[in-house]
Amino acid sequence: MPKQLDRPGFARLRRGGVAALTALAGVLAAVAGFAGEARAQQIAGTPGSPNATITIDGNYLPPAPQPFRGQIELNAAQSTPYWPATVTPPKGAPNILLIMTDDVGFAAPSTFGGVIPTPALDRIANDGLRYTNFHSTSLCSPTRAALLTGRNHHSVGFGVIAEQSTGFPGYNSIIGKETATVGRILKDNGYRTAWYGKDHNVPDWAATQAGPFDQWPTGLGFEHFYGFVGGDTSQWQPNLFNDTAAIYPYIGNPGWNLTTAQADDAIHWLSMLHDLNPNMRWFVHYTPGGTHAPHHPTPEWIAKIEAMHLFDGGWNQLRDTIFANQKKLGVIPQDARLTPWPDGFLKRWESLNDEEKKLYIRQANVYAAYLAYTDHEIGRVIQKVQDMGQLDNTLIIYISGDNGASAEGSPNGTPSEVLQFNGVELPVKDQMKFYDVWGSDQTYPHFAVPWSWAFDTPFKWMKQIPSFFGGTRQGMAISWPGRITDKGGVRNQFHHVIDVLPTLLEAAGVPAPAMVDGVGQKPIEGVSMVYTFGKDGADKPSTHHIQYFEMMGVQGLYNDGWMLSAAPVRPPWKLLGKAILNPASAYKFELYNVAKDWTQDHDLAAEQPAKLQEMRELMFAEFAKYQVLPLDASVATRLVAPRPDMTGGRLVYDYSGVQVTGIPHGGAPQVLNSSYTITAEIDVPQAGAEGVILTEGGRFGGFGLYLLKGKPVFTWNLLDLKRVKWQGPEALSPGKHTLVYDFKYDGLGFATLAFNNTSGIGRSGVGVLSVDGKVVATQKMDHTVPLILQWDETFDIGADTGTPVDDADYRLPFPFTGKIARLTLALDPPKLTDEDKAKLEAAFKAAQDAN
């Protein structure tokens, strides 16, 4: 037994132990930027009491542990407790609602001259300020990464979208530990944080329920996430996550739509915080899927917009109407010029026949309904803030779009965006059969390219093009009723999406940290816009002096009123085609004095060659500074570029047969342009069995192996254009069976893409279905899916989620009622012979010589 301590002995021990602990805490505090009591800390309430709060200096996150200041004796009755103070934001810090919609051109919303009603955006602009010279990167993931971090998109690994990542620092789709997000910074400074809607910044290989989750919202400083991971999703049957758990609220719930559901969840979360403590500060990042394709409004919203007849006059007349509206609103200068219509490659409205006009008007009505619907649901969240009495001290930033209007629907539009991404463009007559269901879950639709040009009025070009403002100019409104009093004011200073984070930090009184989790932080590359908030803000010169632009090889540079612009070689609706192997020298550059020429209408390159050269040199200096190099102008090849694989890069996948659903495509075996064999060992009960054994994809492209009324079926859904089936002649008897689907591919596969030759992809192949070693069906597919399956669908075993591969066969979730003892998928990708390699190398050299 140890010797019992007398009271003096315990006192000496206590003093020595506490002294050591206090010294250790002092060292930790010093390391974290504290000197004894941190110089910038502010304690409210009685120190050590359960309700005491503290505002930290925020330079080092997380803050150092607070030293224990109480007293410890032998007995609690003679001791003094001391609670660490709860971290809260600085006094007067606002709540923050940061909203960003998707693929909305500058001229689409009514707030910036458009004809589509957006009363929520109007409300923020009328209560606060309209920003008319605010810019994105021209593409989804890159803009969002820049918004979250306050750094340029290449600085944080997002030179392109996550699905096109490559193994270079500016393009690897990894937001590094040295670039903490605004969510992490605000959370550690005492904010409660939540993210709703689209997250397009998870690396493709980490976008499964296996994680790792450090690049998910919950790993980037957001305590709650309700939304989807990836570029887009169906609003009717989305790949939806609650934090990191896949959920399926749409099953058995007809009429459910994500656009409303995420507003409901945000309103519930805000209500919960308010009920717990109305003084709790919160940060909501609200990024709905609208209006990225698929355009999925409710039927009620489609009817509302159709009754307004907004688009009956066509896209050319719409452009003129918008341009006049913009001058009336003062969101463009009175001397601004409307850039010319691109007659070389887009049709004028008057040249169309009646059937074309009918389809295109329907496409625009559905799109407009989606934007109006999205804005309405955003308005519900804003109204909740007002109903809680918190509007005056809530900073709301509403950014209309993460890039210009999208042209990814082909010149004719498409009933399924998946078609376009596989190089398939349907003529109008084939699209008309979808006319009545356009916008429903029977379509994955997008509008015709000319609408996107009109929705970017008065500028040239659109999404994907970073060198012209049609690709980068975003309408933005900011309100903060307790601080911004110039209601309805207009601000014309040049700004960029990287300026949002420093704006939020300055408004909250929170510094950009020097170190987070022991990792030194890259400097913030944006500048705060708070200087524009005052009544005199309209007259102050911009503090954002220089900004490079680059996307898929297309380059540009803004510098104090001048804009250097590379003329696109590839229109953004052409996702396949000839490779540009030398983007550093392949482009013709134009020069604009945008301080006087608001719309980039008059090219000065021939008149001022010295200025042109000066801007080019400055641009490449910026490229070297921010990890833009090496330049890469490829599109399709980057979709299939090698990248980390959470499945271990295997060719043989063995599954236990346990029901597993909702695995995003990044965690699935990649069967496209390959031979493969699927083997399922199953046990059929006495009553018979049916249901899904394995499926990937859904209504707009994918495959599935299942029992239908006991008969084995393998279905390939070829982009909703054709379904090819292999089926056994009779229902399986009770007992054990082995099903095999074997597919032999006729082509060289993805290897050909790297050499500027797509003839080897999407080729034919022969599929054979066998039951217990006996062939029951053999069919040839003349064409296969060339590039990508439906990306918002999932890989499922034992049941189906999302949508069926064939609606005529089954309804979700169609669980397998037998037992899957074992399931194997073995890949056998094409192997290049020496002759194949020689041909490809010759093609590669020819492509280099042509460039």
Side-chain angles (χ1 to χ4, degrees):
M1 294 288 294
K3 182 180 178 181
Q4 186 175 359
L5 287 173
D6 57 14
R7 189 171 185 81
F10 177 78
R12 288 192 297 273
L13 176 63
R14 182 184 62 78
R15 285 194 299 271
V18 171
L21 290 171
T22 302
L24 177 59
V27 171
L28 290 171
V31 169
F34 293 92
E37 295 291 343
R39 61 185 180 275
Q41 292 185 10
Q42 302 171 5
I43 298 179
T46 303
S49 69
N51 295 323
T53 63
I54 186 171
T55 299
I56 63 174
D57 74 354
N59 287 312
Y60 295 82
L61 300 177
Q66 298 171 39
F68 178 73
R69 301 292 191 190
Q71 183 174 344
I72 299 176
E73 300 291 347
L74 277 173
N75 302 307
Q78 289 82 45
S79 302
T80 304
Y82 191 97
W83 288 96
T86 300
V87 176
T88 59
K91 185 178 180 180
N95 298 309
I96 298 171
L97 175 56
L98 176 59
I99 303 160
M100 176 181 277
T101 52
D102 198 343
D103 282 10
V104 181
F106 179 79
S110 55
T111 319
F112 292 91
V115 300
I116 303 172
T118 51
L121 182 55
D122 290 347
R123 174 182 182 174
I124 300 307
N126 294 334
D127 286 349
L129 305 168
R130 279 176 175 84
Y131 286 77
T132 68
N133 200 0
F134 180 81
H135 295 265
S136 66
T137 69
S138 81
L139 202 59
C140 307
S141 297
T143 291
R144 293 161 189 271
L147 177 74
L148 287 168
T149 64
R151 283 91 170 182
N152 286 299
H153 54 301
H154 294 87
S155 294
V156 291
F158 271 94
V160 284
I161 58 173
E163 295 86 347
Q164 292 179 307
S165 59
T166 55
F168 298 101
Y171 301 91
N172 60 20
S173 75
I174 299 171
I175 296 177
K177 303 299 183 185
E178 72 281 5
T179 53
T181 71
V182 63
R184 174 61 193 277
I185 296 169
L186 292 178
K187 179 179 76 72
D188 280 10
N189 278 275
Y191 276 82
R192 304 279 64 80
T193 59
W195 183 336
Y196 293 92
K198 175 175 173 174
D199 174 15
H200 202 183
N201 293 110
V202 177
D204 196 45
W205 61 89
T208 76
Q209 291 88 325
F213 298 114
D214 60 315
Q215 296 286 303
W216 284 57
T218 53
L220 295 177
F222 293 89
E223 297 162 312
H224 176 50
F225 172 56
Y226 182 90
F228 61 95
V229 173
D232 64 40
T233 192
S234 167
Q235 298 297 293
W236 301 110
Q237 297 98 5
N239 60 328
L240 184 62
F241 290 90
N242 185 20
D243 298 330
T244 58
I247 58 175
Y248 314 102
Y250 52 84
I251 293 181
N253 192 1
W256 184 95
N257 191 292
L258 177 58
T259 305
T260 292
Q262 67 188 0
D264 289 345
D265 200 272
I267 288 168
H268 175 268
W269 189 81
L270 289 171
S271 298
M272 176 191 68
L273 292 188
H274 186 261
D275 289 349
L276 288 171
N277 181 358
N279 295 317
M280 193 179 294
R281 289 289 166 261
W282 46 262
F283 167 47
V284 169
H285 186 35
Y286 198 87
T287 57
T291 58
H292 197 294
H295 302 156
H296 276 167
T298 62
E300 295 80 8
W301 278 98
I302 295 175
K304 286 181 184 180
I305 294 298
E306 285 187 330
M308 299 174 71
H309 298 282
L310 300 174
F311 306 106
D312 291 1
W315 41 63
N316 296 105
Q317 184 183 106
L318 176 66
R319 244 182 138 226
D320 294 335
T321 299
I322 291 172
F323 188 59
N325 290 346
Q326 290 171 333
K327 289 196 173 182
K328 289 177 185 176
L329 281 172
V331 295
I332 64 173
Q334 293 304 304
D335 62 353
R337 295 183 294 273
L338 180 62
T339 54
W341 183 256
D343 285 309
F345 49 84
L346 293 183
K347 294 179 181 178
R348 287 186 175 267
W349 187 258
E350 59 269 22
S351 70
L352 306 176
N353 63 42
D354 290 343
E355 185 178 55
E356 290 171 328
K357 290 179 180 179
K358 181 179 179 180
L359 175 67
Y360 298 151
I361 290 170
R362 175 68 170 178
Q363 293 173 355
N365 280 330
V366 169
Y367 171 79
Y370 192 25
L371 178 56
Y373 172 37
T374 299
D375 180 82
H376 171 78
E377 295 300 321
I378 290 170
R380 290 178 55 222
V381 178
I382 295 170
Q383 186 60 43
K384 181 62 183 178
V385 176
Q386 179 176 345
D387 294 345
M388 296 188 305
Q390 295 188 348
L391 192 62
D392 277 355
N393 197 32
T394 297
L395 171 60
I396 300 176
I397 299 181
Y398 189 154
I399 304 169
S400 180
D402 55 356
N403 41 243
S406 171
E408 291 158 1
S410 93
N412 289 328
T414 181
S416 171
E417 187 189 28
V418 188
L419 288 170
Q420 176 69 1
F421 275 83
N422 282 284
V424 179
E425 297 185 4
L426 287 187
V428 168
K429 64 181 179 62
D430 292 329
Q431 295 191 44
M432 284 300 293
K433 67 181 180 180
F434 298 98
Y435 182 89
D436 291 332
V437 295
W438 204 276
S440 75
D441 69 348
Q442 299 302 305
T443 61
Y444 208 92
H446 202 320
F447 56 45
V449 170
W451 288 124
S452 63
W453 199 284
F455 287 137
D456 284 330
T457 302
F459 307 111
K460 303 173 188 175
W461 292 104
M462 63 282 282
K463 177 182 177 180
Q464 296 187 35
I465 305 301
S467 52
F468 288 87
F469 296 154
T472 67
R473 186 70 60 86
Q474 312 301 144
M476 179 176 68
I478 300 179
S479 75
W480 184 2
R483 174 74 180 272
I484 296 176
T485 59
D486 186 19
K487 295 184 181 297
V490 175
R491 300 294 183 264
N492 298 317
Q493 293 93 340
F494 179 96
H495 279 288
H496 188 270
V497 68
I498 61 175
D499 299 337
V500 172
L501 179 143
T503 302
L504 298 181
L505 297 188
E506 182 176 350
V510 170
M515 187 175 289
V516 177
D517 293 333
V519 178
Q521 297 294 288
K522 282 185 177 181
I524 300 297
E525 293 164 7
V527 299
S528 172
M529 297 180 286
V530 170
Y531 75 95
T532 66
F533 286 2
K535 279 191 173 293
D536 61 347
D539 300 322
K540 293 184 177 180
S542 175
T543 58
H544 195 128
H545 299 290
I546 187 169
Q547 179 62 50
Y548 81 86
F549 294 89
E550 190 277 338
M551 192 60 59
M552 290 181 281
V554 184
Q555 307 143 49
L557 180 78
Y558 170 85
N559 185 35
D560 280 337
W562 288 89
M563 185 72 196
L564 177 72
S565 302
V569 174
R570 174 191 63 86
W573 53 93
K574 292 293 185 183
L575 304 177
L576 300 175
K578 183 179 178 181
I580 301 171
L581 301 178
N582 55 340
S585 57
Y587 292 91
K588 174 183 177 294
F589 281 90
E590 299 173 6
L591 180 68
Y592 299 96
N593 182 352
V594 292
K596 299 178 180 178
D597 178 11
W598 187 258
T599 62
Q600 294 173 283
D601 183 62
H602 181 55
D603 178 17
L604 298 172
E607 300 171 37
Q608 300 201 38
K611 184 66 177 180
L612 182 79
Q613 183 61 25
E614 173 195 327
M615 292 284 285
R616 285 200 67 189
E617 291 173 359
L618 187 56
M619 180 182 70
F620 276 97
E622 295 293 289
F623 286 176
K625 183 177 180 181
Y626 294 115
Q627 299 186 164
V628 181
L629 303 176
L631 293 175
D632 186 345
S634 62
V635 182
T637 50
R638 281 202 265 193
L639 286 172
V640 296
R643 55 181 62 92
D645 182 356
M646 289 306 293
T647 65
R650 293 173 291 162
L651 292 179
V652 178
Y653 295 76
D654 287 310
Y655 301 104
S656 66
V658 174
Q659 185 181 106
V660 177
T661 61
I663 301 298
H665 66 89
Q670 303 302 304
V671 304
L672 298 187
N673 303 289
S674 180
S675 298
Y676 56 92
T677 303
I678 299 171
T679 304
E681 298 176 11
I682 63 173
D683 196 345
V684 176
Q686 286 297 320
E690 67 174 2
V692 165
I693 297 170
L694 174 148
T695 182
E696 184 181 4
R699 183 171 294 141
F700 304 103
F703 61 88
L705 174 64
Y706 47 93
L707 299 190
L708 184 64
K709 295 180 180 180
K711 297 179 180 181
V713 178
F714 191 91
T715 296
W716 249 113
N717 176 353
L718 301 177
L719 305 178
D720 201 27
L721 297 173
K722 181 180 181 181
R723 284 169 175 79
V724 183
K725 288 183 182 294
W726 294 255
Q727 182 169 318
E730 56 189 29
L732 299 181
S733 60
K736 299 182 184 300
H737 296 277
T738 299
L739 310 180
V740 177
Y741 177 78
D742 182 69
F743 183 77
K744 299 301 183 189
Y745 179 66
D746 177 25
L748 292 178
F750 285 132
T752 60
L753 277 174
F755 296 92
N756 191 33
N757 182 345
T758 60
S759 62
I761 64 172
R763 294 286 296 275
S764 61
V766 176
V768 178
L769 178 64
S770 301
V771 177
D772 299 329
K774 179 181 177 181
V775 173
V776 297
T778 300
Q779 280 203 69
K780 180 178 181 179
M781 288 196 294
D782 293 330
H783 299 283
T784 56
V785 177
L787 281 175
I788 191 167
L789 294 179
Q790 189 180 346
W791 43 84
D792 71 326
E793 287 279 358
T794 55
F795 180 75
D796 301 317
I797 296 171
D800 197 1
T801 61
T803 58
V805 293
D806 193 336
D807 289 278
D809 282 356
Y810 64 89
R811 295 289 180 267
L812 299 182
F814 202 45
F816 186 61
T817 56
K819 180 181 178 181
I820 303 173
R822 185 180 178 189
L823 183 64
T824 302
L825 196 157
L827 299 173
D828 183 19
K831 299 175 181 63
L832 297 177
T833 65
D834 290 341
E835 182 181 358
D836 294 331
K837 292 176 183 178
K839 289 179 179 177
L840 291 174
E841 287 170 1
F844 180 69
K845 185 177 185 302
Q848 284 184 311
D849 293 342
N851 284 306

